[in-house]
Amino acid sequence: MTIPFPHIFTPLTIKKTTFKNRVFAPPVTTSRCVVDGAPTQEAIDQYEGRSRGGFAQVTITESFVDFDYAARHEHGLDIVSPGLTVHHLESVHILTDAIQAHGAVASIQLNHAGNTNHPALLGGRNPIGPSAMLRPDGVQVDEMDEEMIHHVADNFAVACASAQALGFDMAMLHGGHGWLLSQFTSPLSNKRTDKWGGSLENRARFARLVLDKVRQQVGEDFLIEYRVSGDERTPGGMQIDETVEFCKMIEDKVDLIHVTSGMYFNHVESKAFSSMYHDHGCNLDLAIPIKKAVKVPVVSVGGYNDPAHIERVLADGLVDAIALGRQQFADPEFVNKALTGRADEIAPCLRCSCFNPLPPDPNKRPSAPPFLCTVNPRSGRELRLRWAPPPRKAKNVLVVGGGVGGLYASITAAERGHKVLLAEKTDKLGGTLWFTEVDPHKNDFRRYRDSLVTRAQRAGVDFAFNTEVTAGYIADKNPDAVICAAGSVPAVPPIKGIDHASHALLAYADFDKIGRRVVMIGGGLTGSEIALYLAERGKEVHIVEVRGDLAIEGNDSHRRALLPLMRKTPGLSWSLDTTVAEVTPEGVMLRTADGAQTLRAADTVLFATGMKARRDVVDALRNSVPWFVPVGDCKRPRFILDAVYEGMSAAMDL
């Protein structure tokens, strides 16, 4: 049998360690990772799931080399504090054992936040860094003296030795994203004039000291992976030419070089965490010159989510391995699916930023908790769902609606042994995701829809297309249960003359009907994204938004990518805190907060003012069968994340 993607599945041996393939699971923050520095059972389960799913290396998320100045959050595994209990140490051993049980190499990322830390996290002490500075937020950063430099280097060495003793096969030292190691190497943050600053050789001295001390502690066989931002993509920061030279300075001290980019404090703009508007493999251009310059293996990270793409990169010899960050959440079985001919079932990461933290103000918190995945409702819930009771017997299940919620309900029910019929009123599946065939920014959404359709077909789901489900249809089919995922319809705003306008999806459905001058009523996420789509195709688009900003319902990281792109797109403009008094054949009459009215001329007027649940369908069908569960937008219009979770949950309850 021919192995698909042969370059992905060619083992990589470094010293005495063999990676079974070339796809790594790098550190990504995991929900409920630790309690008091010890791994939770949920975290162990999630990391083991990535190993079970075929990743060759699984790296524990950012942990810290000390808790005096290094630690910046509570997610880090504590392997360095004195007096750790037996329970704590045994829990870490269980974690490494769980990763290694399925053939993955167990690694841990070790870091020091340096000058980005805050006194509130440091017992009132000032953060430390290569140079003294007063930050824009008023925090004083203290310059590290010679004694502190060696003390911190020793802490890195002790942390690596502790990781080795606790069963890890290797460690990743975080020398990118603007943390302490990179603060020394970067001219942006290192303003010293002594031997630790100035020339690149001097700025690299601290990292080389750390690596020497680590190697002295762990010996030659324990692998050291060093993470660099190939380019900090920030004015005044480290650029690729210097990074190449730096990597040559450390290549004799490390076993792998892991190439990312950017800075944490502007993580979207600098591609530290890429968005859906960035190319896949967006940091590959930085990894290639480093690969050419050094003799040790080079790992590339940055928005990869397609095994065919990864195979091409590896086949061309551009790097030695590929790391998948948020894709681990989207589909922890990514590697095994690629190996076993099921690549078309992979749920691609949409890069919609699952890691957004909860802000302290509860009034500003997002509708969903952080670290949950839009395309994989099991992510972050693996342990709980593993305890779900199995069905008592197989049932006949009717699913109404073939959008993502209905598809996920059908897949889940069929995989649990039920006989499933999915009835869809149109001739295609995916609901409103039909537009992903048009908008190039939504290609990953299209791939996700296609993966769900493939999974449903292989699970044995039967389909009835062009079928409007009625109470009579349900009576005729006589199912044991109905899951209603009938979706929503556009909400038409109560504006005088709105009959002269069309819903924003017309832009995708019939682009030729869109005139040159467009007014978009509604600057929420949908209106903003469709306005961008039109402007990128040469239309002159003006958004009218009643609120004080655009795309307010979007999460922070997505807005950080979307809004700057909108600002620099020619032909795209907007009015905030503005209402529409009337739509006319000539355009739109705008009313500002002070009551002033102006006419905005338009050839086409579109509206994107929300969706309305199809409660009429729910009410008409609800009493047709005792077990009836509505899911997704027919309950309340929200996001894909909500629809797939509710669809899965309804099917799990059968």
Side-chain angles (χ1 to χ4, degrees), residues 76-364:
L77 199 65
D78 183 1
I79 61 171
V80 297
S81 293
L84 294 176
T85 66
V86 171
H87 170 78
H88 187 123
L89 299 175
E90 287 180 343
S91 297
V92 179
H93 271 292
I94 291 171
L95 172 62
T96 55
D97 179 67
I99 293 171
Q100 294 160 345
H102 309 283
V105 174
S107 182
I108 183 171
Q109 183 186 64
L110 297 169
N111 193 21
H112 193 302
N115 66 20
T116 67
N117 225 324
H118 197 280
L121 301 172
L122 303 176
R125 297 182 295 275
N126 292 336
I128 58 175
S131 301
M133 59 182 282
L134 183 65
R135 293 194 324 217
D137 61 358
V139 170
Q140 177 64 47
V141 176
D142 294 339
E143 181 173 293
M144 295 167 62
D145 59 18
E146 189 91 7
E147 181 181 0
M148 179 59 77
I149 286 172
H150 281 271
H151 176 70
V152 172
D154 287 335
N155 287 347
F156 270 98
V158 169
C160 285
S162 179
Q164 183 182 39
L166 289 168
F168 287 98
D169 304 295
M170 60 184 295
M172 172 194 283
L173 303 190
H174 201 337
H177 292 174
W179 307 125
L180 182 64
L181 284 168
S182 63
Q183 288 163 23
F184 268 88
T185 57
S186 174
L188 181 66
S189 46
N190 188 340
K191 307 298 183 182
R192 300 176 75 109
T193 58
D194 61 3
K195 69 178 183 179
W196 304 100
S199 67
L200 177 60
E201 182 179 6
N202 283 354
R203 285 183 276 125
R205 195 182 302 275
F206 177 63
R208 288 170 58 84
L209 172 70
V210 168
L211 290 168
D212 284 341
K213 286 180 176 285
V214 168
R215 185 60 75 194
Q216 290 169 9
Q217 284 283 338
V218 300
E220 286 300 316
D221 294 333
F222 185 79
L223 301 187
I224 301 172
E225 182 176 11
Y226 196 92
R227 192 176 213 185
V228 295
S229 287
D231 194 307
E232 292 183 325
R233 304 191 200 271
T234 302
M238 193 89 159
Q239 297 181 354
I240 182 59
D241 291 345
E242 276 202 317
T243 304
V244 169
E245 293 306 310
F246 169 73
C247 290
K248 290 161 67 175
M249 293 178 182
I250 65 169
E251 68 171 319
D252 61 331
K253 303 177 185 298
V254 302
D255 301 295
L256 302 94
I257 295 176
H258 177 113
V259 184
T260 178
S261 75
M263 311 278 278
Y264 185 82
F265 69 81
N266 62 347
H267 59 268
V268 175
E269 300 89 332
S270 64
K271 302 183 186 179
F273 309 132
S274 64
S275 80
M276 65 179 65
Y277 301 109
H278 293 130
D279 291 337
H280 293 292
C282 58
N283 300 322
L284 181 60
D285 62 320
L286 305 176
I288 290 172
I290 294 174
K291 167 66 178 171
K292 291 178 179 177
V294 301
K295 298 181 177 62
V296 296
V298 171
V299 183
S300 175
V301 70
Y304 295 97
N305 69 358
D306 181 358
H309 179 207
I310 295 171
E311 176 69 13
R312 290 194 300 272
V313 171
L314 294 173
D316 290 342
L318 302 180
V319 293
D320 300 282
I322 298 294
L324 308 183
R326 287 164 283 172
Q327 180 61 48
Q328 301 169 53
F329 295 135
D331 201 331
E333 290 190 86
F334 179 97
V335 180
N336 282 348
K337 286 181 178 179
L339 178 65
T340 56
R342 296 180 294 138
D344 53 357
E345 293 185 26
I346 290 173
C349 172
L350 306 180
R351 296 188 286 182
C352 54
S353 301
C354 46
F355 51 78
N356 284 278
L358 288 174
D361 183 352
N363 295 319
K364 297 181 180 179

Side-chain angles (χ1 to χ4, degrees), residues 400-404 406-407 422-438 446 449-450 452-453 457 463-467 485 508-509:
V400 181
V404 291
L407 280 168
L422 189 157
E424 165 56 39
K425 66 177 181 176
T426 70
D427 61 354
K428 62 179 64 176
L429 299 169
T432 55
L433 289 188
W434 60 264
F435 75 85
T436 61
E437 298 175 4
V438 179
R446 177 189 57 77
R449 177 204 63 184
D450 293 348
L452 292 181
V453 173
Q457 292 169 337
F463 302 99
F465 292 103
N466 300 307
T467 301
Y508 295 135

